[in-house]
């Protein structure tokens, strides 16, 4: 199958970003065989847009064929073919712990009330440079509400965008006024959070009157500035029954987004003990097929869905393998859904913390799907944490709790805790 066969699916949004450069390295030709394998893995996806005539499959990832995109391929090639240690491709950073909304499902809620001092701007900038030096290619900004961070334009502008794509998750409350400056600074993709296609429901879940209207206005403004924009949402067990996925696809098509980024409801943050929200394995299988069907359709937005991408059929769990998350205070966690830290970048280098994470028994191997949705995995990690303990909790504390409490052995509902290498 031709690597760019997906481009025949229909007309794509074409965007011109001067900060996105085409790769002309001879190494890309050597990696052609791996590219074919990579193409097989992304077959259930459809392109989001064309940026400088290069295909984009995800608003948080650089275009295939770009300088930053070549770094993604190189990290995967080194791991899969050369058997080198895994390196983080994606780094999600909570750049601030301030928000103008109060979402009932906020995954960062526990990090916004811990009273820790946020990283200084210099520490944050140094963190990004360390990540780039490790081979990273996708720097994802989150919060809190990241647009409330006073130096957000400076941060994006000073990040080397020849090596990484800078994207952002936001509630959209301030995007309309910042859009032109964000584009000039070099923001690649923007994902605006929407919890429902019903304005009243979204506003209630956000604890903010007018949140829906601001989010839609943000999307329209980004489109008017010819920027890549998508909707970020989540699907709960309740939402599956009510047709939330189909409703969000329809909303995305109506407002003309480039991508729908669809998370599973995960028991973390404000939903740490909300197991009744969590999709069952059967739910995730159904949702996975719905995602694939939408991506096979010539109409409507492309979908990046957690139920598919984090499954054995996709890539498996990204946490601590291709992705890391850093809180506003500098604590490094495997992902933004995992309240377990392996160190703090204010105290030691990111590489040291990454090596520690990869050497651990729990994150040293690939995992079939989202660990935080696996009851067996939770039983030996986050379920051991006493109520009222500040998050994130150090991995050393988890190991001590495991030794003291000696949780009973259990089998993952997936059958195995590891995904076969290669």
């Amino acid at each position: 199958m031709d690597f760019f066969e997906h481009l025949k699916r229909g007309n794509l949004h074409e965007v011109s970003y001067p900060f996105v450069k085409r790769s002309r390295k001879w190494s890309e030709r050597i990696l052609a065989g791996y590219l074919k394998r990579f193409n097989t893995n992304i077959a259930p996806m459809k392109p989001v847009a064309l940026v400088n005539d290069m295909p984009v499959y995800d608003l948080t990832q650089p275009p295939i064929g770009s300088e930053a995109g070549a770094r993604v391929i190189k990290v995967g090639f080194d791991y899969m073919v050369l058997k080198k240690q895994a390196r983080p491709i994606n780094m999600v950073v909570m750049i601030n712990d301030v928000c103008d909304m109060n979402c009932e499902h906020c995954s960062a809620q526990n990090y916004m009330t811990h009273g820790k001092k946020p990283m200084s701007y210099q520490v944050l900038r140094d963190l990004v440079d360390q990540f780039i030096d490790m081979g990273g290619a996708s720097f994802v900004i989150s919060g809190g509400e990241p647009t409330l961070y006073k130096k957000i334009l400076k941060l994006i502008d000073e990040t080397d965008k020849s090596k990484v794509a800078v994207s952002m998750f936001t509630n959209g409350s301030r995007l309309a006024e910042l859009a032109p400056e964000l584009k000039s600074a070099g923001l690649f993709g923007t994902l605006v959070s929407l919890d429902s296609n019903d304005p009243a429901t979204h506003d209630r879940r956000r604890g903010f009157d007018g949140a829906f209207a601001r989010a839609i206005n943000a999307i329209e403004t980004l489109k008017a500035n010819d920027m890549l924009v998508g909707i970020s949402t989540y699907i709960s067990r309740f939402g599956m029954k009510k047709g939330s996925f189909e409703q969000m696809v329809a909303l995305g098509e109506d407002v003309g987004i480039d991508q729908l980024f669809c998370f599973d409801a995960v028991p973390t943050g404000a939903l740490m003990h909300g197991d009744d929200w969590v999709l069952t394995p059967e739910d995730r299988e159904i949702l996975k097929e719905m995602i694939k069907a939408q991506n096979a359709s010539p109409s409507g937005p492309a979908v990046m869905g957690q139920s598919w991408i984090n499954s054995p059929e996709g890539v498996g769990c990204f946490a601590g393998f291709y992705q890391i998350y850093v809180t506003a205070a500098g604590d490094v966690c495997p992902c933004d859904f995992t309240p377990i830290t392996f160190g703090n970048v204010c105290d030691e280098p990111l590489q040291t913390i990454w090596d520690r994470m990869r050497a651990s028994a729990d994150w040293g191997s690939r995992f079939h799907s989202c660990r935080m949705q696996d009851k067996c995995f939770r039983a030996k990690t986050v379920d051991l944490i006493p109520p009222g303990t500040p998050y994130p909790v150090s991995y050393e504390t988890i190991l001590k709790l495991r030794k003291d409490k000696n949780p009973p052995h259990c089998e993952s509902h997936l059958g195995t805790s590891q995904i076969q290498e290669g």
Side-chain angles (χ1 to χ4, degrees):
M1 183 169 63
D2 183 84
F3 186 65
F4 296 110
E5 184 175 337
H6 292 87
L7 300 182
K8 301 173 184 177
R9 287 177 169 169
N11 295 326
L12 287 171
H13 180 197
E14 296 188 33
V15 175
S16 177
Y17 281 149
F19 52 86
V20 178
K21 306 298 182 184
R22 183 176 294 276
S23 176
R24 303 186 184 280
K25 297 178 181 177
W26 61 270
S27 59
E28 280 207 339
R29 295 193 293 274
I30 295 177
L31 298 179
Y34 178 74
L35 277 174
K36 291 181 180 179
R37 182 173 186 175
F38 183 76
N39 184 39
T40 301
N41 288 342
I42 66 172
M45 300 174 66
K46 66 179 175 182
V48 171
L50 286 176
V51 172
N52 302 353
D53 295 322
M54 293 177 283
V56 177
Y57 283 83
D58 179 359
L59 294 189
T60 69
Q61 297 294 318
I64 292 175
S66 67
E67 291 180 346
R71 291 166 66 87
V72 175
I73 300 298
K74 181 65 165 59
V75 169
F77 180 83
D78 285 350
Y79 176 79
M80 298 292 288
V81 179
L82 300 184
K83 306 301 179 183
K84 293 184 178 181
Q85 176 177 285
R87 289 177 287 158
I89 292 174
N90 308 328
M91 182 174 71
V92 183
V93 181
M94 178 185 181
I95 63 172
N96 65 346
D97 56 3
V98 178
C99 191
D100 50 0
M101 298 188 186
N102 185 25
C103 305
E104 63 181 19
H105 57 280
C106 179
S107 63
Q109 182 189 74
N110 295 321
Y111 308 140
M112 297 173 66
T113 57
H114 54 28
K116 291 185 178 180
K117 183 180 179 180
M119 289 180 285
S120 68
Y121 179 76
Q122 188 53 51
V123 169
L124 178 56
R125 278 287 294 108
D126 187 58
L127 167 65
V128 175
D129 288 342
Q130 290 182 61
F131 169 66
I132 291 174
D133 289 344
M134 292 171 66
S138 168
F139 171 34
V140 183
I141 296 172
S142 72
E145 169 46 42
T147 58
L148 295 174
Y149 185 63
K150 294 180 179 179
K151 295 184 178 180
I152 185 171
L153 297 173
K154 178 179 174 67
L155 176 65
I156 297 171
D157 182 63
E158 292 184 350
T159 298
D160 187 347
K161 290 169 288 293
S162 69
K163 296 179 179 177
V164 296
V166 184
S167 56
M168 178 172 65
F169 285 91
T170 170
N171 62 33
S173 63
R174 299 185 67 237
L175 278 183
E177 60 191 87
L178 289 175
E181 293 175 283
L182 287 167
K183 183 176 182 180
S184 296
L187 183 65
F188 180 72
T190 306
L191 287 150
V192 180
S193 298
L194 276 166
D195 306 330
S196 172
N197 65 331
D198 175 63
T201 300
H202 176 75
D203 289 2
R204 175 177 56 78
R205 292 177 179 174
R206 295 272 153 172
F208 189 100
D209 290 339
F212 184 90
R214 290 200 185 192
I216 296 300
N217 187 36
I219 291 170
E220 293 173 345
T221 303
L222 291 171
K223 288 177 56 183
N225 281 272
D226 199 22
M227 298 173 69
L228 295 174
V229 59
I231 288 175
S232 168
T233 193
Y234 69 95
I235 306 297
S236 67
R237 193 182 307 178
F238 313 118
M240 281 290 289
K241 296 177 181 178
K242 295 180 178 180
S244 292
F245 177 76
E246 299 94 327
Q247 292 165 5
M248 295 308 293
V249 168
L251 175 63
E253 185 168 13
D254 286 344
V255 298
I257 60 170
D258 296 303
Q259 181 181 39
L260 177 65
F261 210 101
C262 186
F263 290 100
D264 300 347
V266 177
T268 190
L271 297 181
M272 181 61 78
H273 303 292
D275 288 344
D276 54 336
W277 287 64
V278 181
L279 299 176
T280 65
E282 293 75 22
D283 287 334
R284 290 201 295 275
E285 283 298 312
I286 294 171
L287 183 55
K288 181 179 71 175
E289 294 306 315
M290 293 167 70
I291 291 165
K292 290 163 61 179
Q294 173 57 32
N295 281 338
S297 171
S299 62
V303 181
M304 171 58 75
Q306 184 180 358
S307 282
W308 170 72
I309 194 68
N310 284 166
S311 73
E313 190 176 318
V315 179
C317 183
F318 281 46
F321 174 60
Y322 278 155
Q323 178 171 313
I324 48 175
Y325 174 73
V326 184
T327 72
D331 291 308
V332 181
C333 306
C335 78
D336 38 341
F337 297 149
T338 307
I340 298 172
T341 178
F342 283 80
N344 190 293
V345 294
C346 298
D347 303 323
E348 55 187 340
L350 182 61
Q351 181 71 62
T352 300
I353 300 171
W354 174 257
D355 291 343
R356 184 180 300 132
M357 189 181 299
R358 293 297 302 159
S360 71
D362 295 293
W363 277 273
S365 300
R366 296 181 68 183
F367 206 83
H368 264 306
S369 67
C370 173
R371 289 169 169 85
M372 288 294 287
Q373 293 183 75
D374 188 282
K375 290 184 178 180
C376 181
F377 185 84
R378 289 174 59 83
K380 64 177 184 177
T381 53
V382 295
D383 288 350
L384 301 174
I385 302 171
T389 303
Y391 291 106
V393 175
S394 72
Y395 184 62
E396 290 83 356
T397 298
I398 294 294
L399 294 179
K400 184 178 185 302
L401 288 169
R402 189 181 297 171
K403 181 178 180 181
D404 293 344
K405 296 189 176 185
N406 191 26
H409 176 74
C410 64
E411 293 293 334
S412 165
H413 63 256
L414 299 169
T416 175
S417 64
Q418 297 182 8
I419 188 169
Q420 185 175 3
E421 302 291 355

